[in-house]
């Protein structure tokens, strides 16, 4: 995707890195994208960290596989609260549809009382290791997370993004 203010190359590299780390582990990777709106303003990323920890714990228990993720924080200058775009990467041999993830994500949001989830249309992608078309579709869609617009409107010392830290096997 192209954007008026361009893309953040560092975020794009992090997205690619975590996706490729998952493809090294599994020949098929399922990606699911969703958004989280904050109900209250936050001046740090502690709540997204709590959300990530609870979500990963539940997904690990259910799917028993490595989990990759990328989140980005956005806030327009006129908005009072921030929101997050989130993508999960899971073993595509264990899950292949976004159906059912909403219940888990909603449950984690309810337990924290701070997030309201949103699920865009066509938010699930199956990526196959040697299939460039499946790779192009997901990279195109995930490039939205790296847009420069609405980044940087945050307190000093607070990050615009976070990722899993999957390393080479």
């Amino acid at each position: 995707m192209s954007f008026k203010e361009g893309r953040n190359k560092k975020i794009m590299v992090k997205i690619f890195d975590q996706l490729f780390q998952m493809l090294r582990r599994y020949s098929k990777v399922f990606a699911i994208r969703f958004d989280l709106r904050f109900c209250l303003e936050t001046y740090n990323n502690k709540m997204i960290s709590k959300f990530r920890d609870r979500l990963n714990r539940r997904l690990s228990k259910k799917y028993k596989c490595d989990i990759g993720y990328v989140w980005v924080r956005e806030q327009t200058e006129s908005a009072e609260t921030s929101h997050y775009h989130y993508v999960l990467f899971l073993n595509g041999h264990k899950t292949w549809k976004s159906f059912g993830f909403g219940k888990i994500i909603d449950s984690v949001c309810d337990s924290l009382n701070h997030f309201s989830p949103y699920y865009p249309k066509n938010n699930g992608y199956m990526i196959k290791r040697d299939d460039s078309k499946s790779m192009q579709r997901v990279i195109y869609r995930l490039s939205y997370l790296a847009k420069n617009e609405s980044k940087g409107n945050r307190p000093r010392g607070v990050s615009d993004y976070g990722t899993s830290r999957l390393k080479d096997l």
Side-chain angles (χ1 to χ4, degrees):
M1 289 185 184
S2 60
F3 304 99
K4 183 175 64 175
E5 295 182 27
R7 279 185 308 273
N8 182 310
K9 290 179 184 174
K10 191 173 182 181
I11 294 173
M12 284 300 296
V13 166
K14 294 291 188 176
I15 292 170
F16 291 152
D17 179 57
Q18 292 308 290
L19 175 57
F20 292 137
Q21 288 298 333
M22 288 295 288
L23 284 166
R24 286 184 186 103
R25 288 164 168 72
Y26 310 110
S27 62
K28 293 193 307 187
V29 171
F30 185 71
I32 182 168
R33 188 188 141 351
F34 57 95
D35 299 338
L36 296 167
R37 302 221 181 275
F38 237 121
C39 300
L40 304 168
E41 182 45 60
T42 180
Y43 301 101
N44 56 49
N45 290 320
K46 288 182 182 175
M47 286 308 296
I48 195 71
S49 294
K50 277 187 180 182
F51 172 84
R52 179 208 61 224
D53 290 346
R54 288 185 186 185
L55 180 63
N56 284 2
R57 220 177 2 258
R58 290 189 188 182
L59 294 173
S60 292
K61 189 183 237 183
K62 181 171 181 162
Y63 295 106
K64 298 180 183 9
C65 68
D66 289 334
I67 299 168
Y69 67 87
V70 177
W71 59 258
V72 296
R73 177 186 172 120
E74 293 187 350
Q75 183 171 349
T76 60
E77 289 183 26
S78 62
E80 292 184 23
T81 61
S82 54
H83 67 275
Y84 294 84
H85 299 289
Y86 207 105
V87 63
L88 287 168
F89 301 116
L90 294 152
N91 180 347
H93 298 280
K94 295 195 175 198
T95 185
W96 53 90
K97 293 181 182 176
S98 58
F99 182 78
F101 280 95
K103 277 186 172 179
I104 297 169
I105 293 165
D106 290 350
S107 173
V108 173
C109 288
D110 289 347
S111 74
L112 293 171
N113 290 331
H114 293 289
F115 291 111
S116 171
Y118 169 75
Y119 306 99
K121 287 185 179 182
N122 304 317
N123 65 338
Y125 295 87
M126 183 62 73
I127 307 110
K128 296 177 184 169
R129 187 181 291 155
D130 297 320
D131 181 359
S132 62
K133 278 193 176 185
S134 68
M135 186 73 73
Q136 287 171 343
R137 280 194 304 271
V138 77
I139 288 172
Y140 177 80
R141 184 74 184 263
L142 296 182
S143 68
Y144 182 80
L145 277 68
K147 73 182 189 306
N148 282 323
E149 293 146 45
S150 66
K151 303 275 191 312
N153 300 321
R154 56 180 161 61
R156 189 178 170 152
V158 174
S159 182
D160 281 327
Y161 69 95
T163 70
S164 49
R165 293 183 175 93
L166 300 172
K167 301 290 182 196
D168 286 336
L169 294 175

